[in-house]
Amino acid sequence: MLSKQLHEALNAQINAELWSAYLYLSMSMDAEAKGLKGVANWFYVQFQEEQDHARILMNYILSRDEKVTLLPIEEVRTEWASPLEMFQDTLTHEKKVTAMINNLAAIAAEDKDFASSNMLVWFVDEQVEEEESARGMITACEAVEGNKFGLYMLDKELAARVYTQAAPLASAND
Ligand code: MG
């Protein structure tokens, strides 16, 4: 059985992951409207990954015989001045998500809920990757700042990003 505190925090995390999905979808739409198809693709893949994160948590709550409560999704920003600004926002947001995941891990540890602790290990590792990838994109955008050809090449590179289902969902399909 999940503790009430952990159950509520997991439901709140589902909402945060879906809000993240919505944020990245909004960035994708803004980039596409500005002709940056590669940047749009990168954020669309991100949008898909965030939905996976929510699904993993929903599956987990259900597997513990508890109820998933879907909360309202707050509105998101709809316009950014540049891809650099999008990736800066991404890093700021992912740092907040990392803090939320760490808080979940702390509650699970306090509860001595080892199953939840194990489930959260994937998210702890994922957040390290999310922050690293956002930092990498900021560096890339800074490198091409003010250079239209550089941005064109970077956009081409980002067009190659492909969505792959998150490992915990892929293994659940076995
Ligand atoms: Mg996420």
Side-chain angles (χ1 to χ4, degrees), residues 28-29 37 43 45 57 66 74 76 80 87 89 101 103-104 112 115-116 119-121 124-125 141 149 156 161 167:
S28 179
M29 293 299 112
K37 282 189 182 292
F43 280 109
V45 171
L57 294 166
E66 300 279 3
E74 295 276 324
V76 292
W80 287 264
F87 289 113
D89 265 14
I101 294 291
N103 184 48
L104 279 169
K112 296 191 169 58
S116 294
M119 184 274 296
L120 289 165
V121 166
V124 171
D125 293 343
C141 287
F149 181 69
K156 260 185 153 5
R161 187 182 186 196

Side-chain angles (χ1 to χ4, degrees), residues 10-163:
L10 286 167
N11 272 318
Q13 191 65 38
I14 290 166
N15 187 261
E17 301 293 346
L18 292 175
W19 190 86
S20 303
Y22 207 41
L23 174 70
Y24 298 138
L25 181 62
S26 186
M27 289 178 178
S28 179
M29 293 299 112
D30 188 38
E32 183 121 17
K34 287 163 180 161
L36 296 165
K37 282 189 182 292
V39 176
N41 173 66
W42 196 95
F43 280 109
Y44 199 83
V45 171
Q46 199 71 12
F47 159 64
Q48 291 172 294
E49 286 192 3
E50 296 304 338
Q51 291 177 84
D52 280 359
H53 300 169
R55 184 69 235 190
I56 294 164
L57 294 166
M58 290 188 273
N59 285 350
Y60 180 71
I61 291 176
L62 293 168
S63 76
R64 295 293 303 269
D65 200 23
E66 300 279 3
K67 194 175 168 356
V68 172
T69 305
L70 297 179
L71 305 165
I73 311 277
E74 295 276 324
E75 69 177 332
V76 292
R77 183 172 168 181
T78 55
E79 220 170 329
W80 287 264
S82 63
L84 174 61
E85 201 185 18
M86 288 181 184
F87 289 113
Q88 284 167 336
D89 265 14
T90 298
L91 180 59
T92 303
H93 177 60
E94 289 301 333
K95 283 181 176 174
K96 282 185 200 153
V97 175
T98 299
M100 289 181 78
I101 294 291
N102 288 346
N103 184 48
L104 279 169
I107 299 169
E110 202 179 300
D111 288 352
K112 296 191 169 58
D113 184 337
F114 302 113
S116 294
S117 294
N118 276 352
M119 184 274 296
L120 289 165
V121 166
W122 185 85
F123 282 90
V124 171
D125 293 343
E126 174 68 14
Q127 284 312 118
V128 173
E129 282 180 31
E130 295 281 29
E131 289 189 27
E132 186 184 18
S133 122
R135 276 198 311 275
M137 292 312 307
I138 289 169
T139 304
C141 287
E142 283 172 348
V144 302
E145 229 188 335
N147 176 343
K148 281 192 176 176
F149 181 69
L151 179 60
Y152 171 78
M153 292 308 288
L154 179 62
D155 191 61
K156 260 185 153 5
E157 190 185 314
L158 299 189
R161 187 182 186 196
V162 178
Y163 162 75

Side-chain angles (χ1 to χ4, degrees), residues 163-174:
Y163 162 75
T164 47
Q165 193 174 42
L169 291 180
S171 59
N173 292 335
D174 291 348

